[in-house]
Amino acid sequence: MKTLLATLAAAVLFYLSQGLNELWFFAWIAPAPLLWLAYGEERAWRVLAASFIAFLAGMAFVIQCYAPVFPPKIVAVLSLMLAPSLIVFPFTVLFARLVQRRSKAWATLLAFPLAWTAAEFLISLLSLHGVYLSFANSQIGHPLTEQTASLFGMFAITFLICLFANAIAMLARAERGGRVAAAGGLAVCALALAFGAWRLSTPQAATVRVAAITSDVSLYSNDDVHQLPGAVALAERTAAAARDAAAKGARVIVTPEGGLIAKPSWRAAVLAPLQRVADDTHALVVAGLVVIARPGDNAIPSADFAVALRATQPPLFYAKRHLLLPLEDNFTPGHAPGLIGDGYAMAVCKDMDFPRTYVADARAGDIRLMAVPSGDLKLDGWMHGRLALMRGVENGFAVVRPANEGLVLIADAYGRVVARAPSARHGLSTVIVNVAPGPGATLYTRIGDVFAWACVGLTGLLALVALLQRRRAHP
């Protein structure tokens, strides 16, 4: 019965904290029932099965989110993102159990946080979906818990979540050495929150007025935009909204991913209305543009662009680097960062799922505000959009992210959401707010994934120590 109850409790807590819901605190205790079970006398295979089932049930939001949007084959492909985490997670719980039986309480306290943080990090290096399923994503939108990412990246937040859950499980087992170690773990979490409170109290730069424009027209929703007159008409409507936003004081104007559509020979005609807005108002316009090349046209391949339009300057193109496969396998990925200058940069949607990409970009140029043309898939507007906000906390830049079929998200460099609004359902809609550009490069920008690699190394060290202790016990 206790195995069943622990499985059910963990599954519910994972589901409520990781996906479409926003019960962020539940993430801090979700693994605790499984760890409590592992530290008892339950058989190892039961612990393994309970961890597998709880994690699988908790991640059911992936199917719930995308099944209404895509055919079963595509949903099956996207669901493969679960496989590595689903396989590895139960063994990190068993690893914690092994250390608990063969090492001291302090090693037990660290075993699960180190192992799961290391696993998340290594999976993110190999996955086509980056950090999409990281535990740390549950904390986005709650700035007090996000600030540790500015020191050591989002994997430090994963570590803290797991450390807290493990401390709770050890306290529940009420072993004397475990209680002392658990208290130390809780103290570390408290220090991290204190750092968050201090960082949030630091002064910000003067704000800049920004506008995010969304539309009910996209690459897949309207055949008219695949003809030149329709594509130009869409650009003219978008330019009118941009001009109106500039008249209301907007100095940075961002349109969604695929908000403009063109064939290679149309690019100049489609971009011309927005270029005139930039020329006349001296606002920076960052437009989402999908270029659809004809078969055999090698001059300009099909690609998903963000285009920076500045007064009296030629357009600056940035091609999306991380594609959503298999849906975007017709696009050619880019390779260069989207640096605009004067503290501005641009990215496209899924690019923001990859922390290492933006550590490199922030090192390459001073980034204070990131414009991110995006496209959501209806239910995943917050679940996916929030990842861009974490990149801002990690590297010290504000984020302006308009997304068709989802949400407009605008946040400062501390993860504080300045605007959150549904995208246009009919015609165009514009969100205009003031947001402070960020302070620029953080400690994490400078040191990169040192903390995550340390977790990998210390996990290996703990495993080695546990094996050596086993050999001494059984020569």
Side-chain angles (χ1 to χ4, degrees), residues 378-460:
K378 297 180 180 178
L379 288 179
D380 74 341
W382 172 249
M383 191 171 71
H384 186 221
R386 62 187 181 178
L387 273 65
L389 310 191
M390 183 65 85
R391 303 291 82 76
V393 178
E394 287 175 333
N395 297 292
F397 53 74
V399 174
V400 181
R401 184 187 186 273
N404 280 345
E405 298 192 328
L407 292 177
V408 171
L409 291 172
I410 301 173
D412 69 11
Y414 301 89
R416 291 176 289 211
V417 178
V418 177
R420 172 176 170 169
S423 58
R425 297 293 182 264
H426 303 286
L428 295 170
S429 67
T430 306
V431 175
I432 304 175
V433 296
N434 295 329
V435 65
T442 63
L443 177 64
Y444 174 65
T445 305
R446 295 180 176 93
I447 69 172
D449 292 314
V450 167
F451 178 83
W453 281 115
C455 289
V456 174
L458 290 172
T459 300

Side-chain angles (χ1 to χ4, degrees), residues 213-274:
I213 299 173
T214 56
S215 168
D216 62 348
V217 177
S218 70
L219 176 63
Y220 307 105
S221 65
N222 193 320
D223 290 337
D224 291 343
V225 297
H226 292 271
Q227 304 298 323
L228 178 58
V232 172
L234 175 59
E236 293 281 5
R237 291 196 300 272
T238 305
R243 190 175 293 276
D244 182 63
K248 294 175 180 177
R251 307 315 306 150
V252 179
I253 302 167
V254 189
T255 75
E257 180 183 17
L260 302 177
I261 299 167
K263 293 181 180 178
S265 60
W266 305 350
R267 285 201 316 179
V270 169
L271 291 175
L274 285 167

Side-chain angles (χ1 to χ4, degrees), residues 6 14 32 46 51 64 77 99 102 149 194 198 247 267 282 295 314 323 366 389 415-417 453:
F14 278 133
R46 287 180 177 270
S51 301
Q64 177 188 356
V77 172
V99 173
R102 288 178 169 79
W198 171 81
R267 285 201 316 179
H282 290 265
L323 304 177
D366 182 33
L389 310 191
R416 291 176 289 211
V417 178
W453 281 115

Side-chain angles (χ1 to χ4, degrees), residues 1 3 7 37 42-51:
M1 179 60 74
T3 303
T7 305
L37 188 70
E42 201 65 52
R43 292 183 178 181
W45 72 267
R46 287 180 177 270
V47 174
L48 190 72
S51 301

